[in-house]
Amino acid sequence: MKKRGKGIACIFYGTGYGNGFPDVSRAIAELRKDGNIAIYVGATEVGQGAKTIMLQMAAEVLGIQVKDIILSCEDTSITPDSGTAAASRQTYNTGNAVKIAVEKLRKELIQIAAKRLGLNSTVGLETRDKKIYLKSYSERFVTFKELASSIKENIKKEGIFIAQTTKMDDETGQGAPYWPYTVAACSVEIEVDTETGKVEVLKAVFAQDVGKAVNPKLIEGQIDGGFSMGLGYALMEDLKLKNGEIKNNSFTNYLIPTSMDMPEIEKVIIEEPESTAPFGAKGIGEPVTIPVAPAILNAIYDAVGVRMTEIPVTPDRLLKALKEKNLGAISNE
């Protein structure tokens, strides 16, 4: 017999290392002698879209295209330390460092441009399309390349961002361990086969607070990826530890979701810009995974009345729980 159920779960999550651990990101912005802009940042790309986001933020500050920027990351010989690609921190922390570095570079370029254009003030100067121009008379401009040709060395500016975090008071439990926080909610509809114990997720809705969606497509991709990991966590991925030995030590027996296991997901992007974030954006790497498993377990309870307290909910575990429930019902008759 197949039974359907619905479940929902909500979470809040503090981004960054937290609890007083130093959380520092650094970035360098440069005008090169050839007139190109370069960004140096140690933001490791692990599929979350860090490279795209850092480029977008730098381009937005300077009013240029992403393709006009040379990004160097993951090369420790030329990039400053931007911390780890962990704790959902790169968009917020390192994004802030990139924004600070590029804003410093922009300010200096404008100061040099004012002298080059024979102006007595930087007021009214703007940057766009790799040139600096007078907003009230756009035909008066100087290009980045022309500026670069007039300087002896590349212009470099460093941006440093230190996240706010304090250690929790051991006695009172009070403190400000994280900033910012984000919230998410996930709902699922599932179908349980009571004869085989198999659980299938039929459809889902995922709502994520992102601060400001700098790149909505990347956010949707992260929701897909996070849901997949939560699905595997809830129903499939089992190391089978026995006496300290991992029995499922290969993908032959350690099952992870494939695209065939994924339901249709309605994605809801919640925007409320964070005032301390670069362009208001928060990180969502881990939050998009966390509520999936509890939503699925709540849906199982709704479908068959069994509260599972151990994951993954494999077919054998669910059949055992259903059997115990039925035996309990018989003994109570």
Side-chain angles (χ1 to χ4, degrees):
M1 179 182 295
K2 292 185 177 180
K3 294 187 176 182
R4 292 192 176 190
K6 297 178 180 177
I8 187 169
C10 306
I11 62 111
F12 72 97
Y13 183 88
T15 63
Y17 298 142
N19 205 30
F21 191 88
D23 199 344
V24 183
S25 282
R26 291 180 168 84
I28 295 172
E30 177 186 47
L31 174 66
R32 299 174 11 150
K33 288 291 290 182
D34 58 7
N36 288 317
I37 298 295
I39 302 295
Y40 302 89
V41 61
T44 304
E45 176 63 64
V46 291
Q48 81 279 42
K51 289 181 177 177
T52 301
I53 291 296
M54 301 307 155
L55 283 170
Q56 281 188 262
M57 291 182 175
E60 182 70 19
V61 173
L62 289 171
I64 60 178
Q65 302 294 313
V66 165
K67 63 180 177 60
D68 295 327
I69 301 175
I70 300 165
L71 178 70
S72 296
C73 62
E74 301 151 355
D75 182 345
T76 55
S77 69
I78 58 174
T79 59
D81 185 1
S82 302
T84 58
S88 306
R89 59 181 293 283
Q90 287 293 3
T91 294
Y92 177 76
N93 290 49
T94 306
N96 262 320
V98 168
K99 185 168 181 283
I100 292 168
V102 179
E103 286 174 342
K104 286 182 178 178
L105 178 65
R106 180 180 182 274
K107 183 178 181 181
E108 176 143 344
L109 295 183
I110 286 178
Q111 289 173 340
I112 297 172
K115 294 178 182 177
R116 174 78 178 247
L117 294 170
L119 302 174
N120 57 13
S121 168
T122 59
V123 176
L125 286 175
E126 298 286 344
T127 59
R128 186 190 303 165
D129 300 332
K130 300 178 72 174
K131 62 185 180 183
I132 299 172
Y133 65 99
L134 196 57
K135 192 173 181 179
S136 59
Y137 185 62
S138 60
E139 293 183 11
R140 195 168 188 179
F141 68 87
V142 59
T143 66
F144 285 1
K145 190 171 184 178
E146 290 169 338
L147 278 183
S149 65
S150 67
I151 56 178
K152 293 182 179 179
E153 297 181 350
N154 297 358
I155 299 175
K156 286 187 176 182
K157 293 295 176 182
E158 184 180 28
I160 302 175
F161 180 76
I162 303 172
Q164 178 190 358
T165 174
T166 59
K167 190 176 184 304
M168 299 281 281
D169 187 297
D170 292 336
E171 294 186 1
T172 67
Q174 300 297 306
Y178 295 96
W179 195 261
Y181 288 86
T182 183
V183 296
C186 176
S187 69
V188 297
E189 181 174 359
I190 59 109
E191 186 173 78
V192 177
D193 188 325
T194 57
E195 294 183 359
T196 65
K198 183 180 178 182
V199 177
E200 182 180 2
V201 180
L202 303 174
K203 58 183 178 180
V205 180
F206 200 106
Q208 177 65 55
D209 161 36
V210 302
K212 176 66 178 178
V214 173
N215 189 317
K217 285 295 181 187
L218 280 180
I219 290 171
E220 291 180 359
Q222 284 204 309
I223 291 175
D224 282 329
F227 191 95
S228 173
M229 286 187 269
L231 176 63
Y233 189 55
L235 300 177
M236 300 178 188
E237 299 180 39
D238 188 3
L239 292 174
K240 274 196 180 304
L241 274 173
K242 190 171 184 180
N243 299 323
E245 182 182 355
I246 296 175
K247 296 296 184 182
N248 291 341
N249 57 3
S250 75
F251 287 123
T252 301
N253 45 22
Y254 183 85
L255 302 180
I256 61 174
T258 69
S259 59
M260 298 297 290
D261 299 304
M262 288 289 286
E264 180 182 341
I265 304 172
E266 179 184 346
K267 305 170 189 76
V268 182
I269 297 174
I270 309 295
E271 288 189 300
E272 185 174 347
E274 160 60 36
S275 61
T276 65
F279 303 104
K282 302 176 185 176
I284 62 163
E286 285 145 320
V288 291
T289 296
I290 298 170
V292 179
I296 292 174
L297 267 59
N298 285 336
I300 292 173
Y301 179 74
D302 184 50
V304 296
V306 171
R307 179 62 73 185
M308 299 300 292
T309 58
E310 183 180 8
I311 55 174
V313 183
T314 54
D316 57 330
R317 285 175 178 162
L318 185 53
L319 285 176
K320 181 182 177 183
L322 287 170
K323 184 178 180 181
E324 291 173 351
K325 178 197 172 194
N326 292 333
L327 289 174
I330 292 173
S331 64
N332 291 330
E333 288 178 352

